[in-house]
Structures are given as C-alpha cells and as structure tokens.
Amino acid sequence: MLTGKTAVVTGSTSGIGLAIAEALAAQGANVAINSYTDKEDDHAAAARIAETHGVEAAYIKADMSDGAAARDLIEQAVSRFSAVDILVNNAGIQYVAPVDEFPAEKWDAVIAINLSATFHTIAAAVPHMRASGWGRIINIASAHGLRASPNKSAYVASKHGVVGLTKVVALEEAEKGITCNAICPGYVLTPLVEQQIEDRMRESGLDRREAELKFFLDKHPSKQFVTLEEISGAAVFLAGNAAAQITGTTLSVDGGWTAE
Ligand code: NAD
C-alpha cells in the first residue's frame, strides 16, 4: 500500500514510534528511524526492519530537543531516500510535578521535544511534500492534547499545542495533497508509562494492578490499556489513500476516555 513512499518517524527506537515504523515498513514504505543516541542497537533496529519487510531503512541520530537537529533529520532523510512522504512526529517525554514545583528546565525540555520539534520537522518536510504533491503528517499527540490531568502542566500544554499546530498545518496544505492529523492515544504500555506506574506503586504502596486501575485505567472506560498495534494501525490508516480527505483532525485511541 505504501510501496515507494519514505517515512520519517521521530523517537522510534522504542514504544509507539518503533511500532509505527515497523507497521509502515510492513506496508512497503522505506523508513528512517530516529533517536538522540548512536548505539549499535539503534542501527541494528533499522537493519532488522529492512530485512524483515524488504524495504530500505536507516537510523538517523538527531536530538529533538534541538530545533536545528530536528530540521536536519529531515534533510538527512531526503539525502538518503530522495524524499520524505510520511512524517510521524512521535518523540516525546513526560515529567510530573505540581506547577509551582515544576523545574523550569523540565518545562523547557518537554515543550522542546513534544511541541517545538514537531514545528521544526514539519517546516523542513513540507517543501519536499509540496514538490511531490503528496504528503502525510501524523503527529502523536495524546488524550492529554484534549483533556488535562493535575501535575502534567508541560505535557498537557505541549500536547494541546500539537493539536493546534496540526489544524493550522492542515489548513495551510489543504490544496496541496498534504494531510496533517493527530493521533490521541490514551495510556499505552510503553517505557514512558511503565516508569509512571512504578513511581505510583512506590508512592502509594499499592500493588501493580491496583495502581494501574487507580491511576491510569480510571481514565479508560474500557478498563484496558491501548496496545501498540492499535496505535500503529491508526497511523497506517492515516498514511493511506483512504484517509486522503481526513485532515486537521484528531483520532482518539483511548478506550473511551475523551467521550466522557
Ligand atoms: P517511549 O519513552 O517508549 O519512546 C519515546 C521515544 O522518543 C524513544 O524512542 C526515545 O528514544 C525518543 N526520544 C526521547 N527523547 C528524544 C530526543 N530528545 N530526541 C529524539 N528522540 C527522543 O515513549 P512512548 O510511550 O512510545 O511515547 C511516544 C509518543 O507517544 C510520545 O510523544 C508520547 O507523548 C505519546 N503518547 C504516549 C502515550 C503512552 O501511554 N505511552 C499516551 C499518549 C501519547
């Protein structure tokens, strides 16, 4: 379905980003995966994707907290693959503290990686997409792009910002064959959420299942975590031709959280 297309997925050495890169490759897309490290495992992950799916894949190091590096990721991908057709802005971090105790440097880091990097990669990718007359921009926002929770000021602000940016880019590119949408996951069991579960168990003294139900699945009417396959499936759908007229919107994959 995506044979001949090139996808760039930021923050894709683990969790949701890696699952999306794999799913796009399974549809025939060449993929650039990314993180801020330069480990053997990073390059091995790209080699494994290439071999498994018979596509081209490369690992490109770029720190999404640095706007220039985020833009350079796109240029490096274009040099390597001659195009960027699908851009998935996935890199993201979390920090939890009451607003008056929230360290300023943590605020800056969350906004830089979750929101500003999304602006920089889009700005760099859009001219290439316009040149080919086809593009898909998929921003991994969050249910926290639509709803708030206490102690997550930077994360909620960044994800609401991503949803706003998504709408603006969709309008600007609407006549150019480029769509821009946001996926808004509820809680997905990835390293980012595992860390929060462990913190909650430590603070509350609850066992794992009690902590999951009290602090996470209380938000999901389904009482289940979202799976990686459910997020990557949404991304494949938005990347495909069936979604050509879907732009500027949010796709919630959250067990019913934002229906309430
Ligand atoms: P994760 O921690 O498993 O993966 C995050 C990825 O981002 C990693 O590959 C990491 O290397 C990369 N990354 C972190 N800092 C980076 C930087 N400075 N430069 C480049 N890459 C960097 O997290 P995840 O749960 O897979 O989250 C992925 C995205 O999904 C994030 O934007 C997150 O906010 C969003 N999200 C996650 C959940 C969830 O429940 N897990 C829910 C809603 C939204």
Side-chain angles (χ1 to χ4, degrees):
M1 187 177 95
L2 299 173
T3 304
K5 305 289 190 204
T6 294
V8 177
V9 186
T10 70
S12 43
T13 52
S14 78
I16 291 170
L18 182 58
I20 291 175
E22 294 258 16
L24 294 173
Q27 296 297 320
N30 299 322
V31 293
I33 61 169
N34 152 263
S35 188
Y36 57 93
T37 52
D38 197 12
K39 297 181 294 194
E40 256 179 46
D41 281 358
D42 300 330
H43 297 275
R48 186 178 48 73
I49 291 172
E51 194 180 322
T52 305
H53 302 291
V55 297
E56 288 187 54
Y59 173 78
I60 302 176
K61 175 189 171 185
D63 185 343
M64 291 300 112
S65 66
D66 173 351
R71 287 173 186 253
D72 189 54
L73 167 65
I74 300 300
E75 300 314 331
Q76 283 197 56
V78 171
S79 300
R80 171 74 171 72
F81 296 104
S82 307
V84 53
D85 305 296
I86 301 163
L87 168 62
V88 182
N89 283 301
N90 169 79
I93 59 168
Q94 172 67 283
Y95 191 85
V96 180
V99 71
D100 56 321
E101 294 169 19
F102 211 96
E105 68 274 14
K106 294 291 185 193
W107 170 276
D108 289 343
V110 172
I111 297 295
I113 295 169
N114 295 13
L115 177 57
S116 301
T118 300
F119 156 68
H120 289 294
T121 56
I122 290 173
V126 152
H128 298 289
M129 293 177 175
R130 281 188 203 138
S132 70
W134 195 95
R136 294 283 189 272
I137 300 168
I138 301 167
N139 298 322
I140 307 305
S142 170
H144 281 118
L146 305 166
R147 296 286 187 278
S149 295
N151 302 322
K152 296 187 175 176
S153 53
Y155 190 82
V156 169
S158 73
K159 296 298 187 178
H160 275 68
V162 167
V163 170
L165 175 63
T166 298
K167 295 176 187 175
V168 172
V169 173
L171 293 177
E172 289 181 9
E173 304 307 318
E175 292 183 60
K176 296 167 192 133
I178 302 168
T179 68
C180 183
N181 294 291
I183 295 175
C184 293
Y187 287 111
V188 189
L189 276 181
T190 66
L192 185 140
V193 168
E194 285 290 347
Q195 183 60 54
Q196 293 178 62
I197 294 173
E198 283 163 30
D199 291 346
R200 291 296 201 162
M201 286 169 64
R202 205 174 38 252
E203 288 158 17
S204 66
L206 295 174
D207 71 23
R208 186 182 170 104
R209 188 59 187 162
E210 287 167 342
E212 285 177 359
L213 284 167
K214 178 157 188 206
F215 299 114
F216 300 89
L217 297 179
D218 59 319
K219 295 279 200 289
H220 287 199
S222 68
K223 299 293 170 222
Q224 292 178 47
F225 284 100
V226 178
T227 66
L228 291 173
E229 292 72 22
E230 287 156 358
I231 302 298
S232 62
V236 167
F237 167 66
L238 289 173
N241 288 331
Q245 291 301 315
I246 298 177
T247 195
T249 197
T250 55
L251 179 52
S252 289
V253 187
D254 64 3
W257 177 346
T258 51
E260 291 189 323

